[in-house]
Amino acid sequence: MQNISTYVQLELLHLVHDFPLLISIIYYATTFFIGSIFLILNQRFVPRIYQEYFSDFVLAFQACAITWENAVIRRAYGTLGFAAALLCTGIWIRCTCESTGNPIGNFVKYMKRKTTFANAFTKILLQMLAGQLSYNYANVWWYVELSEGHIWRSNQMTGCTSDLTVPLLIGLHVEGLGTLADVGLEVTSFKQLEKYGRFIRALCNVFITLAGVNYTGMYFNPANASAQTFGCHSNIEHILVYWIGPLLGCLLALHLTENSRKQTQHTKKVASRKGHGKRKVA
């Protein structure tokens, strides 16, 4: 019996070694499963007044936990594998979750006067806490060392490497522009294509991430960036690049989309008046 057990263990180790992608898939599936269970428990047992807070906490944890494994995929399978992981997880999150777990989303709600400052600030603090918890969660997987990628991650636990590879101002602009594009996509309606809107936004986010990942990590998610790189370099630089940059990008996106909305309404009014005038002449 012991020989059979040893044989099974060896076969499992060989399977893991030959197919490291399998471990990553199990990691993603487990993370999504845990998130789904907690969201269900939230709906059933948490008082309604606190449900939105707990939901934001769970979704932020899920988003950050996924990012840790995305780095493993990128190292093992390169840009193409990384892009595929971003697209698949992005579509899943957008199709099954009510938000992406990004503090910028709460900032947008506050700027649009859909929530109070205290409400938004509390949720952002919870999202930051969730980001830190995701690191402990990922550490459990790395400690077991089920794949070469997790062994690599485990060896990095004693150190901290910054994803900021460019000067401060360039990094600030990169994260700001990434957030500008992301928020612009979120608040834009695709009209006839709206049923494909989630897929379109997920696909666009892949290109946004790939465009800046070599410069800042292209997080455009302050909670995620803080969980991954806070303390790896100057804390002031971190705040400027990964918090101020996205906030400025968000403000610019809201300003541009609001101006576009007003311009569209003005154009429709002018066209309507002209059409009404022509009917009178006729």
Side-chain angles (χ1 to χ4, degrees), residues 99-163:
S99 77
T100 58
N102 190 338
I104 296 299
N106 285 311
F107 183 68
V108 169
K109 290 179 181 178
Y110 170 69
M111 294 304 299
K112 288 189 169 185
R113 300 180 180 178
K114 293 182 178 180
T115 188
T116 64
F117 175 80
N119 193 329
F121 185 71
T122 301
K123 288 183 177 180
I124 290 173
L125 288 179
L126 288 172
Q127 288 171 322
M128 291 177 64
L129 178 61
Q132 297 303 315
L133 181 62
S134 75
Y135 175 68
N136 297 325
Y137 168 79
N139 266 336
V140 173
W141 286 81
W142 303 339
Y143 180 78
V144 181
E145 298 185 346
L146 292 174
S147 69
E148 290 184 5
H150 286 187
I151 294 174
W152 164 69
R153 274 298 201 180
S154 179
N155 293 333
Q156 287 189 323
M157 286 170 60
T158 55
C160 185
T161 304
S162 171
D163 287 321

Side-chain angles (χ1 to χ4, degrees), residues 177-212:
L177 290 173
T179 306
L180 167 65
D182 181 55
V183 174
L185 286 167
E186 291 297 327
V187 299
T188 298
S189 172
F190 294 97
K191 297 181 180 179
Q192 291 87 354
L193 296 176
E194 190 55 40
K195 62 180 179 179
Y196 305 109
R198 291 174 178 175
F199 174 79
I200 293 172
R201 292 182 179 98
L203 182 62
C204 289
N205 276 347
V206 172
F207 290 109
I208 295 170
T209 302
L210 293 179

Side-chain angles (χ1 to χ4, degrees), residues 10 15 18 20 31 45 65 68 71 81 146 168 173-174 194 258 280:
L10 289 174
L15 179 64
D18 294 336
T31 304
F45 300 108
W68 293 109
L146 292 174
L168 170 64
H173 279 82
V174 168
E194 190 55 40
E258 180 63 18
K280 281 187 175 182

